[in-house]
Amino acid sequence: MATIIPVASFDCVVFGATGDLTTRKLLPALYYRYKDGQIPPTSRIIGASRSEISLDAFRERARDALKRFVPGHDLSEEALTAFLDHLDYVAVDGAGEDGWEPLAAKLAERPDQVRPYYLATSPDLYGAICRNLAKHGLIGEKSRVVLEKPIGKDLKSARAINDAVGEVFPEEQIFRIDHYLGKETVQNLLALRFANTIFERLWTADVIDHVQITVGETVGVEGRAGYYDTSGALRDMVQNHILQLLCLTAMESPLNLDANSVRDEKLKVLRALKPITPADVQHVTVRGQYAAGAVEGKPVEGYLTDLGPGSQSRTETFVALKLEVQSWRWAGVPFYLRTGKRLPAKMSEIVVQFRASPFSIFPEEAFGREPNRLVIRLQPQEGMKLEVMTKDPGPGGMRLRPTNLDISFEETFKQRYPDAYERLLMDVVRGNPTLFMRRDEVEVAWAWADSLLKAWADRPEAPRPYAAGSWGPTAAIALIERDGRTWHEDLR
Ligand code: BG6
């Protein structure tokens, strides 16, 4: 059973309170933590946005959002009404002058509360909101600021945002969210690697042939075309979520679980990533853009149609990469990464492919010679699967086949898997930044991404089209098959 340790009483101010992130993720996450008794009843969630709406109207919007995004069996009318009572609302112009006095007055009612400021707004506003918080005397020792991704769109803009926020908040009060770090299975990677002797000893180039990380999505750009078209899959998914998964897979053991120990080790992996040069770009990267097709049996339009009539764009909605981590542990072990919109399944996995046994005592015809493989499933059905060779039961001689040692976390632990934001929001209140990105991590990841973006920009060819509902352009299959390897079959 999960142990619920209540956090300190807080006033969480959510800028961007009427936006998509608040509606889909933050309010449901806070509702669950409240319902489980983790949020003390003296806490408040103060919505802040430019919309001049009443508190009742804000609560009504929140009620609708919860009904939409929380499954009915978790939504009792009683819990819902009790939760909504903790919501407050102030109309504030984050980057301007209006509304700051009323917000300050509200916060002054409870000066001892922990005060997270959640910036669920466009990153262009982060600096201005922080300056306003400082100008109105709203930053104290118990304040923290939470920054949603994207933190910039390249190294230069990320530095500008970090500088602006850093002028008013010390680094230990800045929480840069990468929600992948709050996913249970991602945290489980730390447990798998550093709480078990069997894996860590095999976690080397001598035993591991290669690693694959796939984050597939069935959705297209939905209502976010404006943002997505200036971003693309590399900025939206690889620079942050997928590199973080790679870091946790590849990093050395941290000294302990302190935020800086863990982040120091992740940073070393980012620094060890071999930059992709213009000469390599054709061999180790594939960009794709979805065309019309069918996903989960339903016909869907292509990316350009999703952008709007007559649109032209070279933005990639799919990326496949072959990366190298230049270190003793990983020398010669490629990391194949891929992610995309409008793929056949919403599925994220890390696959650690071990080397084949060096010699077989079994007759050729009996032996599939399948090397072992560890599959860490992030979603759906969080769990882990270790493929081992076993004997086929019964007579017929020694026939071997791969069998799964399969752990489904949900079935094993028989409890709901909390959304990543639940854990991360509570960590903000506790002041624990272990699962958040430090400034240097974000900037080193951008420096790596910038060199690839530049190499792509200098090339004449556009992203390769792929049919919606396929696993990306055929070149992505060739990328790995050229090396005599293949994408994990569940995902192909
Ligand atoms: C976000 C990206 O950070 O992550 C989205 O901006 C993407 O484009 C989302 O859809 C995926 O998150 P999850 O948790 O659904 O895998």
Side-chain angles (χ1 to χ4, degrees):
M1 277 305 287
T3 314
I4 310 278
I5 305 171
V7 293
S9 182
F10 63 84
D11 280 345
C12 178
V13 183
V14 182
F15 290 91
T18 53
D20 200 52
L21 181 74
T22 309
T23 314
R24 279 174 191 270
K25 292 289 183 186
L26 305 183
L27 287 172
L30 289 162
Y31 167 78
Y32 271 112
R33 293 300 88 229
Y34 177 76
K35 179 171 151 297
D36 282 355
Q38 196 163 18
I39 298 184
T42 44
S43 302
R44 291 183 295 182
I45 296 144
I46 305 174
S49 87
R50 280 194 306 184
S51 309
E52 293 285 348
I53 54 173
S54 66
L55 173 56
D56 282 347
F58 180 60
R59 286 188 176 156
E60 257 334 285
R61 293 174 79 115
R63 177 184 286 277
D64 292 346
L66 292 169
K67 287 197 164 153
R68 209 164 136 217
F69 296 111
V70 176
H73 55 81
D74 284 335
L75 256 193
S76 74
E77 190 52 40
E78 198 189 341
L80 184 56
T81 309
F83 173 74
L84 294 175
D85 265 358
H86 295 275
L87 299 192
D88 210 328
Y89 183 80
V90 194
V92 185
D93 181 0
E97 297 296 316
D98 296 343
W100 286 93
E101 296 303 330
L103 176 64
K106 208 168 274 296
L107 292 172
E109 292 162 9
R110 301 188 190 173
D112 296 328
Q113 301 273 75
V114 171
R115 244 185 237 170
Y117 296 109
Y118 202 116
L119 309 193
T121 63
S122 153
D124 305 344
L125 300 178
Y126 292 172
I129 296 176
C130 289
R131 276 191 294 278
N132 265 325
L133 288 169
K135 181 170 149 198
H136 293 88
L138 298 179
I139 301 176
E141 273 177 23
K142 288 186 170 183
S143 312
R144 302 108 171 59
V145 66
V146 187
L147 308 181
E148 254 303 326
K149 70 163 265 277
I151 311 233
K153 59 179 184 50
D154 51 19
L155 178 59
K156 189 165 169 243
S157 52
R159 276 196 181 135
I161 291 173
N162 283 330
D163 283 346
V165 176
E167 265 171 37
V168 299
F169 281 99
E171 179 65 26
E172 58 282 7
Q173 287 174 246
I174 304 175
F175 289 72
R176 297 178 190 83
I177 281 224
D178 182 316
H179 78 279
Y180 267 56
L181 293 178
K183 289 186 191 274
E184 285 284 332
T185 313
V186 176
Q187 295 168 59
N188 231 323
L189 248 182
L190 291 175
L192 175 85
R193 293 197 52 204
F194 304 121
N196 294 291
T197 42
I198 55 170
F199 295 113
E200 197 46 28
R201 283 162 204 228
L202 303 178
W203 221 251
T204 75
D206 296 343
V207 190
I208 292 178
D209 178 73
H210 72 278
V211 176
Q212 299 180 15
I213 302 180
T214 293
V215 177
E217 296 190 89
T218 51
V219 290
V221 286
E222 307 200 286
R224 304 160 75 220
Y227 150 74
Y228 195 87
D229 200 49
T230 59
S231 165
L234 190 85
R235 291 186 173 99
D236 187 50
M237 295 296 288
V238 179
Q239 184 271 346
N240 35 73
H241 305 325
I242 297 185
L243 286 189
Q244 287 291 324
L245 297 182
L246 186 149
C247 285
L248 291 174
T249 309
M251 74 184 191
E252 298 300 320
S253 169
L255 290 177
N256 48 41
L257 276 186
D258 285 355
N260 281 334
S261 301
V262 174
R263 299 189 296 181
D264 287 347
E265 295 307 328
K266 286 194 292 162
L267 183 66
K268 286 182 203 160
V269 177
L270 292 170
R271 291 214 164 112
L273 281 182
K274 186 176 174 205
I276 297 177
T277 62
D280 295 335
V281 81
Q282 251 186 308
H283 311 293
V284 298
T285 78
V286 174
R287 279 185 300 164
Q289 190 183 77
Y290 65 81
V295 177
E296 295 171 328
K298 286 198 206 103
V300 293
E301 300 289 2
Y303 178 69
L304 296 179
T305 312
D306 284 352
L307 285 187
S311 297
Q312 292 297 318
S313 169
R314 287 170 58 107
T315 299
E316 78 288 350
T317 61
F318 174 96
V319 193
L321 305 172
K322 176 183 172 187
L323 300 191
E324 279 176 56
V325 178
Q326 296 181 302
S327 68
W328 274 46
R329 189 192 277 267
W330 295 113
V333 179
F335 284 73
Y336 298 97
L337 318 180
R338 61 182 174 158
T339 184
K341 301 275 186 203
R342 291 285 192 228
L343 299 188
K346 177 160 176 72
M347 179 186 267
S348 308
E349 292 195 340
I350 302 171
V351 178
V352 179
Q353 175 70 62
F354 293 96
R355 291 186 188 280
S357 55
F359 170 77
S360 172
I361 62 164
F362 299 98
E364 252 329 287
E365 65 276 12
F367 189 41
R369 280 204 76 144
E370 289 282 332
N372 302 119
R373 184 189 270 152
L374 175 69
V375 180
I376 302 158
R377 286 193 305 261
L378 270 60
Q379 55 197 20
Q381 291 143 11
E382 292 92 339
M384 269 185 284
K385 193 165 79 170
L386 181 62
E387 292 177 16
V388 292
M389 291 305 286
T390 51
K391 178 189 168 298
D392 244 358
M398 188 58 122
R399 288 162 294 115
L400 302 180
R401 66 163 155 186
T403 313
N404 294 330
L405 298 176
D406 202 342
I407 315 175
S408 152
F409 294 147
E410 210 157 5
E411 269 172 36
T412 307
F413 301 113
K414 302 218 177 332
Q415 69 181 66
R416 183 184 73 89
Y417 260 64
D419 186 77
Y421 279 93
E422 295 180 41
R423 163 72 194 256
L424 295 175
L425 281 161
M426 294 301 95
D427 276 355
V428 171
V429 178
R430 289 189 198 100
N432 177 1
T434 308
L435 297 177
F436 296 80
M437 292 181 296
R438 206 168 54 191
R439 172 175 185 154
D440 46 8
E441 280 181 83
V442 175
E443 294 185 1
V444 171
W446 271 127
W448 172 86
D450 276 1
S451 66
L452 176 52
L453 287 163
K454 165 131 196 2
W456 277 343
D458 291 345
R459 294 200 62 84
E461 65 276 356
R464 297 162 193 265
Y466 61 97
S470 69
W471 280 106
T474 46
I477 298 171
L479 172 88
I480 192 165
E481 295 200 344
R482 266 201 302 274
D483 295 344
R485 301 180 174 110
T486 167
W487 291 109
H488 178 224
E489 63 180 33
D490 287 359
L491 301 176
R492 242 183 287 159

